[in-house]
Amino acid sequence: MKKLINDVSGVVPDMLDGLAALNPGLSLLQGSTIIVRADAEAAAARGEVALISGGGSGHEPAHGGYVGPGMLSAAVAGEVFTSPSTDAVLDAIRAVAGPAGVLLIVKNYTGDRFNFGLAAEIARAEGIAVEMIIVADDVALSAHGEHAGRRGLAGTVFVHKIAGAAAAEGRSLREVAQIARDTAASLGTMGVALTPCTVPAAGKPGFELADNEIEWGLGIHGEPGVERGALEPAGQITGRLLAKIIDDLALKPDDRVALLVNNLGGTPSSELSIVAGSALRYLREHKIHVERAWSGTFLSALEMAGISLTLLRVDDQRLAWLDAAAQTTAWPALSGRVAQASVKPAPVAPVTASGARLSRDSSLRRVIEAVCACLLEAEPVLTEMDQRVGDGDLGISMSRAARSILGEIDTYPSEKTPGAVLRTMSATIRRVVGGTSGPLYAVMLLRAAVVIEQSGESGTKDWSAAFTAAVDGVTALGGAHPGDRTMVDALHPAAAALQTALVKSGGIDTDEALKAAVDAATSGATQTASMTPRLGRSSYVGDRALGFADPGAHAVRLWLAAIRSALDTQA
Ligand code: ADP
Ligand code: MG
């Protein structure tokens, strides 16, 4: 077990200490595990009904996160996954009760019912008006089965919100209790876990799941669920959960609901968004109107990866209570609106001038195709090389560039304007390749395009000058010089060798000059294996990169060789 705790017995007090320290609106009752609204006395004196919830810890931000104006007056925290004691609940009641009385909102677990129930009885004997409502929103369990009743899950947070808003309006205890009871009866929740969680005091997970297994319909205490199954795509899981809740609440087309997508603790935000998007789509397809929706960590089970979905039937009154102001740390006040049109048309790129297209038999096209074919073939090698010294995406980036260029090549401008062809290739790469190499290749092609366009000709010397300008562009954007262990270590010597060889042959022997360039790139790329990386992602690997050539430099060597052999076969 690895946890950021001080010691197992101090988990709950330490957590509450941090929560209260960060929030001037909250107080921790001395010597207790009770979080109260700092202004609880004033609210009670105004005649507001006080709301108390709580239960075992491990469900953060529930319930301390929902204490504040507009929601709870106090939250009583037990040990992790253990109901708080009767006396703790009683202390909370005494701390926040005013003339209007107290409503206890309790999740349906035996321990919680007993401790909150007994505390209510004792408080009543002391003359405090107390009502208690039970939330049992877990639709995975049958409503009247052989069990201790349906469990209280994340839907409880909706009850906090709605009852809290009703209490803030100054309604009576009877009314607030009835509103809370009706809300609890209009809720359905079901969850699915991808991993178990570990109670600090237990030190090991509550159950075990194989790599591809998920647990359906679990509670929030690390206990197993009602069924185990194979992992499915998020959309299918979402659909199955919603189907069960819809059936349970007997929702029909045109019914109005609020949706809560709840993280059980260890789910990345990205996956939560995927689930939320799937849920909204599913409900739209079933013609159920989602009036409000929230996605986040509302009621968790420690670090469990997984989610629960909650649907609550709403009418205008419930919507108003959901929308009402609340000042707590965990309820996202003033949110929950669902976008009507969530996709906006992207700005349209300027259309390239129409006119002649790059012809199939042009040598320029054959060179481009040869380079693309070579990069597609090199994908696995570049991936492996980049995995060793970087993050492994170079092969994919290069092949994505190649595939996109090949896909668009029929729309490229004519070989009669080679500068425009390079410019268009640059635009393709700029659009489809990110990472480091994307913009570097885009600038290379752009700089080369400018030289070719300005010279007005495209003889070997012009291409050589364009290549030099392209390499300068890489240095200008990336700041790398020879010796830094980047693609520049292949590009720079290759451009120099090309120029020298052309000068030597009086500009005649193109193949010889290209051979010199390929040789220079090859030896430059090879030499990178003995250089310590100073730039790019490899720099994080440091000396561990020694002995392995730079993948970007290797790629340069490959496509230069492809250019040479394409031109050679045409000669
Ligand atoms: P990343 O994954 O780091 O975004 P890529 O995988 O797209 O980058 O490209 C990695 C290659 O980029 C390296 O092998 C190296 O040749 C080249 N590179 C990294 N930084 C620079 C730089 N500043 N200038 C030129 N080339 C660079
Ligand atoms: Mg990379």
Side-chain angles (χ1 to χ4, degrees):
M1 175 180 77
K2 263 191 246 173
K3 288 187 187 279
L4 282 173
I5 59 177
N6 295 314
D7 74 276
V8 166
S9 63
V11 168
V12 176
D14 287 357
M15 160 190 92
L16 296 175
D17 181 56
L19 176 68
L22 281 174
N23 297 285
L26 300 179
S27 310
L28 178 59
L29 275 196
Q30 196 170 18
S32 79
T33 54
I34 302 163
I35 292 278
V36 296
R37 259 172 82 167
D39 66 343
E41 273 173 40
R46 281 197 302 272
E48 286 180 24
V49 171
L51 262 50
I52 299 176
S53 190
S57 293
H59 306 306
E60 291 66 36
H63 295 275
Y66 303 113
V67 174
M71 287 184 86
L72 302 179
S73 311
V76 196
E79 281 302 310
V80 175
F81 296 166
T82 307
S83 166
S85 68
T86 301
D87 279 19
V89 180
L90 193 55
D91 286 343
I93 296 175
R94 290 175 180 146
V96 297
V102 178
L103 175 66
L104 305 181
I105 301 171
V106 181
K107 300 196 295 302
N108 192 27
Y109 297 98
T110 309
D112 289 323
R113 291 174 68 139
F114 290 178
N115 287 296
F116 279 80
L118 181 55
E121 199 173 310
I122 297 168
R124 276 187 211 114
E126 289 176 7
I128 302 173
V130 182
E131 288 230 28
M132 178 160 122
I133 75 117
I134 302 289
V135 185
D137 53 331
D138 178 8
V139 303
L141 297 171
S142 63
H144 310 285
E146 296 274 304
H147 47 68
R150 289 180 156 182
R151 299 169 286 204
L153 302 176
T156 309
V157 178
F158 276 149
V159 182
H160 294 347
K161 180 68 193 72
I162 287 175
E169 287 175 356
R171 291 176 184 257
S172 71
L173 178 58
R174 248 192 59 213
E175 282 179 295
V176 177
Q178 193 54 46
I179 289 164
R181 223 167 259 130
D182 291 345
T183 303
S186 311
L187 273 177
T189 298
M190 185 165 163
V192 65
L194 276 56
T195 67
C197 61
T198 299
V199 176
K204 59 178 182 36
F207 56 93
E208 277 174 24
L209 278 176
D211 242 9
N212 65 339
E213 255 181 345
I214 59 175
E215 187 85 32
W216 291 88
L218 71 166
I220 44 171
H221 296 102
E223 70 270 43
V226 294
E227 189 190 338
R228 196 162 277 203
L231 179 63
E232 297 170 23
Q236 273 176 37
I237 291 177
T238 308
R240 279 177 62 175
L241 293 175
L242 287 173
K244 182 89 181 161
I245 303 169
I246 289 170
D247 179 57
D248 197 86
L249 294 179
L251 289 170
K252 292 179 299 298
D254 287 333
D255 280 348
R256 306 164 75 195
V257 298
L259 165 72
L260 191 69
V261 178
N262 175 52
N263 182 0
L264 290 174
T267 310
S269 295
S270 53
E271 293 174 26
L272 217 54
S273 291
I274 291 172
V275 168
S278 306
L280 289 172
R281 220 171 357 246
Y282 183 94
L283 292 165
R284 202 179 312 126
E285 281 161 15
H286 289 75
K287 306 222 161 17
I288 291 167
H289 299 299
V290 180
E291 300 279 0
R292 298 289 183 275
W294 292 267
S295 166
T297 309
F298 292 92
L299 199 141
S300 62
L302 294 170
E303 77 282 16
M304 183 180 281
I307 50 124
S308 69
L309 299 178
T310 298
L311 293 180
L312 165 70
R313 275 182 184 278
V314 292
D315 54 17
D316 289 346
Q317 175 62 79
R318 271 196 197 136
L319 284 180
W321 284 325
L322 285 171
D323 289 342
Q327 291 146 44
T328 70
T329 59
W331 178 257
L334 302 178
S335 64
R337 302 276 165 174
V338 182
Q340 291 311 312
S342 53
V343 180
K344 181 174 155 186
V348 183
V351 188
T352 42
S354 56
R357 295 277 168 248
L358 186 59
S359 60
R360 281 183 187 282
D361 53 1
S362 63
S363 55
L364 182 56
R365 176 156 175 158
R366 267 187 246 136
V367 168
I368 295 172
E369 286 172 343
V371 167
C372 290
C374 139
L375 291 176
L376 286 173
E377 195 192 315
E379 184 186 315
V381 174
L382 294 177
T383 300
E384 202 200 309
M385 291 177 79
D386 195 32
Q387 268 165 349
R388 228 184 273 277
V389 298
D391 56 353
D393 62 346
L394 183 68
I396 295 166
S397 292
M398 295 282 95
S399 65
R400 183 183 301 138
R403 219 169 275 121
S404 303
I405 290 169
L406 291 175
E408 293 173 12
I409 200 162
D410 285 335
T411 69
Y412 277 12
S414 158
E415 62 281 5
K416 296 199 182 82
T417 53
V421 175
L422 296 181
R423 203 177 265 284
T424 316
M425 275 172 82
S426 170
T428 303
I429 292 180
R430 209 177 60 214
R431 200 179 62 246
V432 301
V433 189
T436 298
S437 40
L440 291 176
Y441 273 93
V443 79
M444 254 196 262
L445 288 158
L446 191 63
R447 293 259 179 143
V450 171
V451 170
I452 295 288
E453 280 165 352
Q454 281 172 355
S455 85
E457 295 186 40
S458 52
T460 310
K461 271 194 195 145
D462 305 293
W463 283 105
S464 172
F467 188 29
T468 302
V471 178
D472 290 346
V474 171
T475 294
L477 184 65
H481 296 277
D484 285 340
R485 194 194 152 99
T486 68
M487 63 168 96
V488 170
D489 287 305
L491 287 170
H492 196 271
L498 183 64
Q499 222 159 23
T500 313
L502 279 176
V503 171
K504 226 192 265 170
S505 73
I508 303 167
D509 199 340
T510 305
D511 186 56
E512 198 50 40
L514 272 172
K515 180 176 183 309
V518 174
D519 289 348
T522 305
S523 97
T526 310
Q527 282 166 31
T528 57
S530 56
M531 296 175 187
T532 303
R534 286 197 286 265
L535 293 171
R537 249 182 248 271
S538 300
S539 59
Y540 312 129
V541 182
D543 285 346
R544 278 172 292 165
L546 291 178
F548 304 102
D550 175 69
H554 183 70
V556 168
R557 177 217 144 167
L558 293 178
W559 59 252
L560 263 178
I563 292 178
R564 178 178 174 224
S565 57
L567 288 171
D568 193 38
T569 27
Q570 287 167 33

